[in-house]
Amino acid sequence: MDGILFHVSSKLLILLLSISYFTQEISCLYEDQAGKVDWKISFIGKVKYADFGNNKLLVATEENVIAALNTKTGDLLWRQVMENEAEQQIQFFNVNKDVTTVSGDQTVVSYWSINNKELIHVIPIEGSHIEITSFYLETGEIKGIPKKINTPWLKDAFKCASSKQYFACVQKNGEIEQIRYINLIAENSEVLSKPIEFSETGEAEILSFEHEIPSVLLVKNNVAKIVHFKNDVEILAKTFLPNVVNVKNDVGNQLYQLEINVNNPEKLLKVKGQDKDGNNQVSVDVEYPKGLGAPYILAGQCRTNNCDLLLSSIDHALLFVRIPEGKILWTREEALSDIVAVEFFELPVSELDASIENEFKTSSQDILSMFINRILTQSKQLTKVFIGSQLMMNSMLVRDDFGLHKIIVVVTRIGKIFAIDTLSGQTVWSYRLPHVVPFDNRNGGDVMLFVQRTARYSPFPAQCTLLAKDDTTGNTVMFQFDPITGLSSRGVVKLDRKVKQAMLLPYEDKNHLKPFITIYEDHSVKVHPEESTVIVKKHVSSIYLYMVDEDAINGYSLQLIDDRLQTFRHWNFLFRGSKLAGISTRPSGERVHSQGRVLPDRSVYYKYVNPNMIAVATISEDPVNKQVLSIYLIDGITGMVIYALAHKRARGPVNLVHSENWLVYTFFNERYRRRELAALELYEGHVQSNSTFFSSYAMSQLPQVQAQSYILPAVPLKVTVTLTERGITNKCLLVALNTGAVVEIPWALIQPRFADIPCGPEESCYPYMPEIPLHPEATINYNQTLSKVKGISVAPARLESTSHILVHGLDMFYTRVAPSKTFDVLKEDFDYKLIILVLIGLIAASYVSKTLASRKAIKQAWK
């Protein structure tokens, strides 16, 4: 009987557990909510090859992407992301029913026989020979025996190009340019040569050229000659511009090239077309958009009397031009596929709100003027109540009540700045900085983008400063602009030296402008703007900074010597043969709401919140453990190592995230062949050293460190943490995975546990789980795959519960997250009508009750 009862109870328990599992509360996204507060824009990168086929535009890019674009709208039809572009660049691209590509290093694809389905490629060995190998296109197997041709004259493989079955190189023999070429499919391939006369000076460059006849381009001083190979010896040379392209039409071949239109300033570009003999000339003016870089032609297609040309600019914009109308049908800004800096900006207040704020600032006016201003302001408020402010919010860039409408300013690697609206994802304005590239050192990262003044200080406009590298001189350029409108009063300012480090200071002048300092190679310091030098000298004793070099981290302080600002090195941290794998500091705008952690016994464990702490990760080679990952927590003021640990047989890539009093980092464990995530939490103990301010020089004892490690069942690309206005909301990690998902991991799930303190629901603590669960419901981009994520930027909204998120890479994705749910906002399905009826009923009931009570009181008084 007891056995039967136990069997029934076990079945009942399994049933109850199954019901509880399938009915548990989850957080998900309804289909009609997709795209409501988020948007995604997909890119392909700088186009390297292009061809028209089957009413589609087929392209291959430097990001190792093969894609098809709609020729009418430019929309992305499909996209195939291939291997890592740093190791497997696309070297060959051909469209003929199917798309054929070849990727690899030091490979020059030279010929593809459609009939035999044969692929031939050449590997040039400088100063020795070239290797010629044939492949079967369908199987990839080698056909025949590879052969070698002696080419001791080949000194530079970059001065060679291929065209169908010919491999050609250009050499300078005295004052005469000489072209050497080889027919690769001939039985006895031999090197032939032919002199090419140029009236221009300098060295010639050789480029591939698509044509029915095997051809190449020889370019010298912006003048090109088309060289046709015929019968191994006949060469026909015509003079064109370097951006010439061959387009096949019903009549034959038409050569198109671009020229600057000097006669019509409204139409900056001119397209000229002619055949190889100079006949059938066509000249069309094109309304080329201002602000784009110099264009060049990638591909073309002609049908009857119309021709379509695909243009690309030096700033990676893609344009589609229709000839003979001369209209640009669509444009794609592919520079946004490589973003190096991001900043979120709050929008300015509306004119009405600004007038209300200015009303209380103008105390010098007479009574009549103040009365008139008050009447006008209240009339505007009354109009706003009846008409509503939503129309103005949608049509103008003004601040909303919750700070959900912002402007995102992004800087691309090619030197182009974009301002993007968070509500729609549309570009508000763009600006191209010519000959500007990111810094090539660890110290400055990519570029430096400083927010000197936000838009909250009306009537002063917002101001932002960009520091980057001049590609021509190697010095630093400075560009100051209004992030809301894109206007710049000074334009691009070229500095006469190279900036070694720069830092934005937290102090403000009378115009609410934060100055920044630039440090040069000779340790001299300059303040921008110069009027703020007095403020910097006043706080010179409390300004510290650090610089990262190849083999060390150096800490500096500012000193005033002979009334001049100089940097003085306080400390240095040597890597000692190790390589820097990552460095992280706390977000500058982060606020710590709670000073301690409440334990189950109602005692408080105070956090060690050091705003000067720097987290450093290094990897060193070890003969026993292969590689050792070391983590250091360094005080940026004194240079003291607060805490250090090492992981044996561990390697990168390493992602570091430092926030409040904790640190999270990811690495690869070679011993167990898995990715791991480690969390460190620092505490002062049960007694707080100082509750008012923190000083690195007043440190009495080292912090107590709690550590915990987890298995991460995915490959993380980028990791960051959410930020909110006051720091009250629970923290969450945002992890971009190689699968294209961005997952949200609560900090409470990976927070280190105390060994002697219980952990469970009563203590609001998750029990330890070795492997971090990655639920599909925690993916903030739901079913939208994000390719090649390069960064995640976070900014707080005015709502404490909400954070702005921008994920950028080959795709740009924006959304808003609420780690603790939207506890400060009513839900979308809140029944306003019901609450209004309830309030009206309560008000009516109160008046009725009041009347009845007064009558009852009168009756009792007359008794």
Side-chain angles (χ1 to χ4, degrees):
M1 186 67 181
D2 294 338
I4 297 174
L5 182 62
F6 175 79
H7 183 67
V8 174
S9 301
S10 61
K11 283 188 174 181
L12 181 62
L13 180 61
I14 294 174
L15 178 62
L16 293 176
L17 289 175
S18 302
I19 294 174
S20 63
Y21 177 80
F22 288 105
T23 59
Q24 62 181 343
E25 183 181 357
I26 60 174
S27 176
C28 60
L29 187 73
Y30 291 101
E31 186 177 357
D32 58 348
Q33 292 177 320
K36 190 171 184 179
V37 297
D38 61 84
W39 46 261
K40 174 191 174 186
I41 306 175
S42 298
F43 304 100
I44 55 178
K46 181 183 178 182
V47 176
K48 191 175 181 180
Y49 305 101
D51 202 341
F52 288 84
N54 298 327
N55 297 323
K56 300 181 183 67
L57 186 59
L58 301 169
V59 297
T61 69
E62 292 185 355
E63 296 283 347
N64 261 21
V65 173
I66 302 174
L69 303 178
N70 189 330
T71 55
K72 295 182 179 180
T73 61
D75 294 336
L76 186 63
L77 299 178
W78 56 263
R79 182 183 67 181
Q80 180 66 37
V81 182
M82 301 177 69
E83 297 88 354
N84 184 9
E85 64 275 7
E87 301 175 356
Q88 298 290 330
Q89 264 290 330
I90 297 177
Q91 304 291 347
F92 177 74
F93 181 80
N94 192 285
V95 178
N96 193 302
K97 293 184 179 179
D98 296 328
V99 179
T100 304
T101 62
V102 176
S103 303
D105 295 336
Q106 298 180 350
T107 301
V108 180
V109 178
S110 57
Y111 179 63
W112 177 28
S113 175
I114 301 175
N115 297 327
N116 301 325
K117 294 185 178 180
E118 178 185 352
L119 184 68
I120 300 175
H121 72 92
V122 178
I123 301 177
I125 308 298
E126 296 178 357
S128 178
H129 62 278
I130 61 173
E131 298 179 0
I132 304 172
T133 309
S134 299
F135 293 88
Y136 289 105
L137 191 63
E138 294 181 352
T139 61
E141 296 179 356
I142 298 178
K143 177 184 178 181
I145 301 174
K147 60 180 179 179
K148 297 181 180 180
I149 299 177
N150 293 326
T151 56
W153 45 266
L154 180 57
K155 303 299 182 183
D156 189 358
F158 290 100
K159 291 189 175 182
C160 297
S162 60
S163 178
K164 298 187 182 297
Q165 74 268 28
Y166 284 89
F167 179 76
C169 300
V170 63
Q171 278 189 324
K172 191 170 185 179
N173 187 6
E175 297 298 329
I176 300 176
E177 301 291 343
Q178 189 178 34
I179 186 168
R180 295 176 181 264
Y181 55 98
I182 307 169
N183 190 343
L184 301 173
I185 63 174
E187 293 183 2
N188 298 319
S189 300
E190 58 179 345
V191 180
L192 303 175
S193 63
K194 187 79 173 181
I196 303 293
E197 295 183 359
F198 269 99
S199 59
E200 291 76 19
T201 59
E203 293 187 1
E205 182 184 1
I206 189 169
L207 302 174
S208 298
F209 184 71
E210 293 293 333
H211 199 272
E212 291 180 349
I213 303 173
S215 307
V216 294
L217 278 182
L218 290 182
V219 182
K220 182 188 286 188
N221 285 344
N222 207 32
V223 175
K225 287 181 181 290
I226 300 176
V227 180
H228 296 310
F229 300 100
K230 291 183 178 180
N231 301 325
D232 293 343
V233 292
E234 184 182 355
I235 299 177
L236 176 65
K238 295 287 290 185
T239 302
F240 292 91
L241 291 177
N243 53 26
V244 65
V245 67
N246 176 67
V247 180
K248 187 177 180 180
N249 55 19
D250 299 335
V251 179
N253 292 320
Q254 191 84 356
L255 301 176
Y256 284 97
Q257 61 183 3
L258 303 178
E259 294 182 2
I260 299 175
N261 195 351
V262 296
N263 299 324
N264 191 350
E266 295 182 357
K267 296 185 177 182
L268 303 177
L269 193 64
K270 183 185 291 294
V271 178
K272 284 189 174 181
Q274 60 180 335
D275 57 16
K276 63 183 180 63
D277 297 323
N279 301 322
N280 300 325
Q281 294 187 359
V282 178
S283 181
V284 178
D285 295 340
V286 179
E287 295 181 356
Y288 191 71
K290 295 182 179 180
L292 293 182
Y296 56 93
I297 305 178
L298 284 172
Q301 174 182 257
C302 289
R303 293 178 179 176
T304 61
N305 297 326
N306 294 327
C307 288
D308 297 329
L309 298 178
L310 181 67
L311 310 183
S312 180
S313 63
I314 58 175
D315 54 351
H316 301 179
L318 205 61
L319 304 95
F320 194 83
V321 180
R322 176 68 52 83
I323 303 295
E325 291 87 350
K327 293 183 179 180
I328 296 179
L329 300 185
W330 49 263
T331 304
R332 290 180 62 94
E333 291 284 1
E334 294 302 329
L336 287 168
S337 63
D338 199 355
I339 296 174
V340 295
V342 179
E343 282 290 346
F344 287 79
F345 287 91
E346 192 173 14
L347 291 168
V349 296
S350 63
E351 295 181 359
L352 175 60
D353 295 335
S355 63
I356 296 174
E357 292 183 3
N358 294 329
E359 181 182 351
F360 298 98
K361 296 180 181 179
T362 56
S363 58
S364 60
Q365 296 182 357
D366 56 294
I367 298 177
L368 181 60
S369 300
M370 296 178 65
F371 176 75
I372 294 174
N373 284 335
R374 173 58 62 88
I375 296 299
L376 291 175
T377 302
Q378 291 185 349
S379 63
K380 291 179 182 179
Q381 288 179 306
L382 189 63
T383 305
K384 179 180 177 181
V385 170
F386 285 101
I387 297 179
S389 60
Q390 191 62 36
L391 179 63
M392 184 178 63
M393 294 295 299
N394 294 334
S395 59
M396 297 176 59
L397 294 175
V398 295
R399 189 186 310 171
D400 59 334
D401 295 332
F402 296 149
L404 302 178
H405 189 190
K406 288 194 175 187
I407 285 290
I408 310 174
V409 174
V410 300
V411 183
T412 63
R413 188 170 297 276
I414 199 62
K416 199 166 185 180
I417 308 174
F418 294 88
I420 303 171
D421 192 349
T422 57
L423 294 184
S424 61
Q426 296 180 353
T427 300
V428 180
W429 58 265
S430 62
Y431 193 93
R432 184 178 67 91
L433 303 176
H435 306 293
V436 170
V437 295
F439 293 106
D440 54 358
N441 55 6
R442 294 181 181 272
N443 211 24
D446 292 313
V447 295
M448 300 181 189
L449 190 62
F450 296 141
V451 182
Q452 292 187 265
R453 183 171 56 210
T454 62
R456 66 176 60 183
Y457 301 107
S458 178
F460 297 107
Q463 181 170 317
C464 190
T465 299
L466 172 68
L467 295 178
K469 178 183 176 182
D470 191 344
D471 192 23
T472 57
T473 62
N475 295 331
T476 302
V477 297
M478 182 176 64
F479 180 63
Q480 293 181 341
F481 60 97
D482 184 350
I484 309 301
T485 61
L487 298 177
S488 175
S489 58
R490 302 175 60 186
V492 179
V493 178
K494 295 185 177 181
L495 305 182
D496 57 350
R497 290 178 289 175
K498 181 180 179 180
V499 172
K500 189 176 181 181
Q501 179 63 293
M503 184 177 68
L504 183 69
L505 300 179
Y507 318 111
E508 295 183 358
D509 60 9
K510 60 181 180 180
N511 296 327
H512 305 284
L513 191 69
K514 293 181 179 179
F516 68 93
I517 58 174
T518 53
I519 297 95
Y520 302 96
E521 296 290 342
D522 58 352
H523 299 285
S524 61
V525 180
K526 187 175 181 180
V527 183
H528 304 270
E530 295 184 0
E531 295 79 12
S532 301
T533 306
V534 179
I535 301 176
V536 177
K537 290 181 178 180
K538 180 180 178 182
H539 300 88
V540 68
S541 61
S542 59
I543 299 176
Y544 296 84
L545 66 151
Y546 70 93
M547 301 183 190
V548 181
D549 296 328
E550 293 294 333
D551 56 352
I553 301 178
N554 300 308
Y556 294 87
S557 65
L558 288 190
Q559 290 188 351
L560 197 59
I561 302 175
D562 296 333
D563 202 35
R564 294 181 59 186
L565 292 171
Q566 294 280 338
T567 59
F568 177 78
R569 192 175 74 174
H570 269 275
W571 57 270
N572 68 329
F573 180 80
L574 300 176
F575 297 150
R576 301 186 184 278
S578 302
K579 294 182 180 180
L580 182 65
I583 187 168
S584 176
T585 58
R586 274 183 54 193
S588 58
E590 184 184 45
R591 293 190 179 184
V592 181
H593 175 70
S594 176
Q595 294 184 346
R597 179 179 176 181
V598 180
L599 302 181
D601 59 356
R602 299 299 183 266
S603 63
V604 178
Y605 216 51
Y606 291 100
K607 300 177 181 178
Y608 177 78
V609 183
N610 186 349
N612 309 316
M613 192 168 65
I614 307 170
V616 180
T618 63
I619 294 180
S620 58
E621 300 293 335
D622 187 84
V624 178
N625 301 301
K626 295 183 179 180
Q627 288 183 332
V628 177
L629 170 64
S630 301
I631 304 294
Y632 302 94
L633 302 181
I634 305 173
D635 190 285
I637 305 298
T638 62
M640 183 179 65
V641 177
I642 301 172
Y643 184 74
L645 60 90
H647 296 273
K648 298 178 181 179
R649 300 189 65 180
R651 58 179 173 86
V654 179
N655 294 286
L656 284 172
V657 176
H658 176 32
S659 177
E660 292 192 3
N661 68 318
W662 50 267
L663 175 75
V664 170
Y665 57 95
T666 63
F667 60 95
F668 184 79
N669 190 327
E670 288 189 332
R671 181 179 181 182
Y672 297 105
R673 310 296 298 173
R674 67 192 184 193
R675 260 89 182 172
E676 293 187 1
L677 182 145
L680 303 178
E681 202 168 17
L682 287 72
Y683 292 95
E684 290 190 24
H686 291 285
V687 179
Q688 192 174 15
S689 59
N690 197 319
S691 60
T692 56
F693 66 94
F694 181 87
S695 176
S696 296
Y697 290 106
M699 189 182 301
S700 58
Q701 60 180 3
L702 293 177
Q704 303 176 25
V705 180
Q706 301 288 334
Q708 203 88 57
S709 294
Y710 301 87
I711 301 171
L712 188 61
V715 180
L717 300 179
K718 295 293 178 180
V719 184
T720 189
V721 64
T722 57
L723 296 176
T724 55
E725 184 76 11
R726 300 291 177 182
I728 302 174
T729 307
N730 296 329
K731 297 282 186 178
C732 273
L733 287 181
L734 298 175
V735 184
L737 307 177
N738 66 335
T739 58
V742 180
V743 297
E744 195 175 12
I745 303 176
W747 162 244
L749 188 66
I750 59 176
Q751 187 177 21
R753 282 76 170 170
F754 291 89
D756 54 344
I757 295 178
C759 181
E762 296 182 358
E763 293 81 15
S764 299
C765 177
Y766 290 96
Y768 174 73
M769 293 178 288
E771 183 173 320
I772 300 175
L774 300 179
H775 298 291
E777 296 85 5
T779 304
I780 64 173
N781 56 324
Y782 42 100
N783 64 341
Q784 302 189 85
T785 302
L786 305 180
S787 300
K788 294 186 178 181
V789 175
K790 299 178 181 178
I792 307 175
S793 299
V794 181
R798 298 183 68 183
L799 280 176
E800 170 57 29
S801 62
T802 308
S803 295
H804 296 274
I805 308 296
L806 179 71
V807 185
H808 56 88
L810 203 54
D811 299 296
M812 189 164 56
F813 176 77
Y814 165 82
T815 188
R816 301 195 297 259
V817 299
S820 300
K821 309 302 178 185
T822 51
F823 58 84
D824 47 2
V825 179
L826 294 177
K827 294 183 179 180
E828 296 179 359
D829 56 351
F830 184 79
D831 198 342
Y832 295 94
K833 296 180 180 178
L834 178 61
I835 195 66
I836 291 174
L837 292 176
V838 170
L839 290 176
I840 292 175
L842 290 175
I843 293 173
S846 63
Y847 275 101
V848 171
S849 301
K850 181 180 179 181
T851 304
L852 294 176
S854 61
R855 288 180 180 180
K856 184 178 180 180
I858 292 174
K859 289 181 180 180
Q860 289 180 352
W862 283 97
K863 286 183 179 180

